[in-house]
Amino acid sequence: MELRVTLLLLLCCTGLQAETPEAEMSQQEGSTFSIQCPYTTQPENEQLKAWCRMRNERCQLEVLTLDSVQYRYSDRAMQGHITIKDYNRTVSITMSDLQAEDSGIYSCVYSSNYVPLKTISLNVYKELHKLELDSLSVQCPYGALGYSWGRKAWCRQGQAQCSLVVSTVYPSTWGSNGARNKSSSIQDDTRTRTVTITMDKLQVQDSGVYWCALYNPNQRPAFIRIMEVRLSVDKIPAATTLSVTTSSSQKNSSGNSTQPRNTITISVVLCILLILAFTITTALCIRQRKKLKTGGNRQAEDIYDKPQSPAQLESTENMGRTTDDSRDLNYITLDFKPRLSSDEPLYCNVEPSQAPRKPEDENVEYAIITHKQLPKNDKG
């Protein structure tokens, strides 16, 4: 069985020439792609069926099935991301967790006649969402596509063709080759076979479809796609303008945006500060009201604590002296003072707890009590 499969592989991989894709299938990174390849016109149902990727005009096997047994060859297939099934005279291919490096031309092949059943061009694109003033950093690996040298470019797709944004200056065969144009730059590392694109201080008008591409200005088309990037740049929300401005310098040095997290943090801090300010203001108002109320009570106490008038003191003293008079009381003289006007203040010494809250219409009478000893009657 193994010898038979090896011979068939040699025939398949060396005999199949590059075919023009029948259609282009576009899929977003991380999605799953499925395709069916019927072979109802082929009478030999038990022959090898395979899914291969075209590189350098040859078919490089990803996965194949023979006599209901599946064989895996590529790293992606060995990781379980590419499967093949042959059932009811139809070959079904499934590719899961697609990556940008999976972009390329693929064929379902039927080995007995060395012809493809179906050929498609698979485009796996990146979809990026950014805010104004963010930075963009994209890596475009091209080793899996079979490219090793040539100028690389970053272009923007238009209605008719791709417009150059920035490109490397010369073809690089070893080492690093880079260039910069305004806010965009490109770096080609041929040792890792990776192109790195950066864009600084993004604007809404930068939204669009971009290509990492091989670039040859002397041929048509001038750009051969390595990877497609779909970029969407949104305006900064009004509430987060301050946050974006203060953190823009940090974002320019890194390709990833941390704007949502900074926005939430600053919003929480502002809410806490507002709550603290409201609490302090309320406490100060309550404290001030208490001070005013305490001051009014003290003023009332001072009024009632003022010394009595001389007339009142005299009356008090006279009344006090009556407590020492003898037991023989002959007569009492009462001296009524004029009635005080309601507008005149009334003073008395009292304990704070006994002070009247609101003097009513009270009649205050004053008396001077004196004691005189009468002459004794002569008896008989």
Side-chain angles (χ1 to χ4, degrees), residues 59-126:
C59 179
Q60 294 186 1
L61 283 174
E62 298 285 328
V63 63
L64 68 83
T65 179
L66 178 63
D67 295 335
S68 301
V69 179
Q70 187 174 159
Y71 300 89
R72 300 179 178 91
Y73 293 90
S74 68
D75 291 339
R76 295 283 287 163
M78 291 179 181
Q79 294 169 1
H81 295 301
I82 303 177
T83 59
I84 184 171
K85 292 182 180 179
D86 182 10
Y87 177 74
N88 195 24
R89 301 182 70 86
T90 300
V91 179
S92 299
I93 311 295
T94 301
M95 299 178 68
S96 61
D97 190 24
L98 289 170
Q99 301 299 311
E101 305 91 275
D102 293 328
S103 298
I105 298 176
Y106 293 85
S107 289
C108 292
V109 297
Y110 183 76
S111 63
S112 61
N113 294 322
Y114 318 118
V115 295
L117 296 172
K118 183 178 291 187
T119 300
I120 59 123
S121 175
L122 178 61
N123 173 34
V124 181
Y125 62 87
K126 287 182 179 290

Side-chain angles (χ1 to χ4, degrees), residues 111-351:
S111 63
S112 61
N113 294 322
Y114 318 118
V115 295
L117 296 172
K118 183 178 291 187
T119 300
I120 59 123
S121 175
L122 178 61
N123 173 34
V124 181
Y125 62 87
K126 287 182 179 290
E127 186 168 347
L128 302 177
H129 297 273
K130 297 289 183 179
L131 292 176
E132 282 186 321
L133 303 181
D134 280 353
S135 295
L136 169 71
S137 181
V138 178
Q139 290 188 332
C140 309
Y142 55 84
L145 301 176
Y147 306 134
S148 58
W149 66 279
R151 293 180 65 180
K152 311 301 188 303
W154 178 247
C155 65
R156 182 173 181 173
Q157 274 285 16
Q159 295 181 351
Q161 59 183 1
C162 207
S163 301
L164 179 65
V165 177
V166 64
S167 71
T168 56
V169 179
Y170 55 88
S172 179
T173 57
W174 185 255
S176 181
N177 180 16
R180 185 174 185 86
N181 181 17
K182 296 181 180 180
S183 61
S184 301
S185 65
I186 185 171
Q187 194 73 27
D188 180 17
D189 189 346
T190 57
R191 288 171 294 186
T192 60
R193 296 187 180 184
T194 301
V195 176
T196 301
I197 307 295
T198 59
M199 296 178 69
D200 299 330
K201 297 181 180 179
L202 292 171
Q203 301 297 320
V204 174
Q205 56 267 27
D206 292 326
S207 300
V209 179
Y210 294 84
W211 280 7
C212 289
L214 289 175
Y215 178 50
N216 187 347
N218 298 320
Q219 70 178 20
R220 292 291 179 270
F223 302 97
I224 298 177
R225 183 182 60 210
I226 296 175
M227 187 176 74
E228 181 176 305
V229 177
R230 300 183 181 184
L231 175 63
S232 175
V233 181
D234 297 324
K235 283 186 173 294
I236 304 172
T240 61
T241 302
L242 177 61
S243 173
V244 174
T245 303
T246 55
S247 61
S248 60
S249 59
Q250 297 177 354
K251 293 177 184 177
N252 289 339
S253 60
S254 62
N256 298 325
S257 171
T258 59
Q259 176 60 33
R261 182 171 58 188
N262 290 341
T263 300
I264 294 173
T265 301
I266 290 181
S267 299
V268 171
V269 171
L270 289 177
C271 289
I272 293 174
L273 291 177
L274 288 174
I275 293 172
L276 288 176
F278 177 77
T279 303
I280 293 172
T281 304
T282 304
L284 290 175
C285 290
I286 295 174
R287 184 176 179 183
Q288 186 65 21
R289 291 186 62 184
K290 287 183 177 180
K291 285 184 177 181
L292 293 175
K293 185 175 181 181
T294 304
N297 292 337
R298 288 180 179 175
Q299 185 177 2
E301 292 175 3
D302 293 340
I303 292 173
Y304 287 107
D305 288 342
K306 288 183 179 180
Q308 297 173 335
S309 65
Q312 292 172 327
L313 290 174
E314 180 183 356
S315 298
T316 305
E317 290 173 358
N318 291 335
M319 292 175 67
R321 284 197 295 268
T322 60
T323 60
D324 298 330
D325 49 286
S326 61
R327 297 178 180 178
D328 297 327
L329 182 62
N330 297 323
Y331 66 92
I332 297 174
T333 300
L334 298 176
D335 185 10
F336 294 92
K337 299 292 184 179
R339 182 175 180 179
L340 296 175
S341 173
S342 61
D343 296 330
E344 294 181 1
L346 178 64
Y347 302 95
C348 61
N349 292 325
V350 294
E351 292 296 330

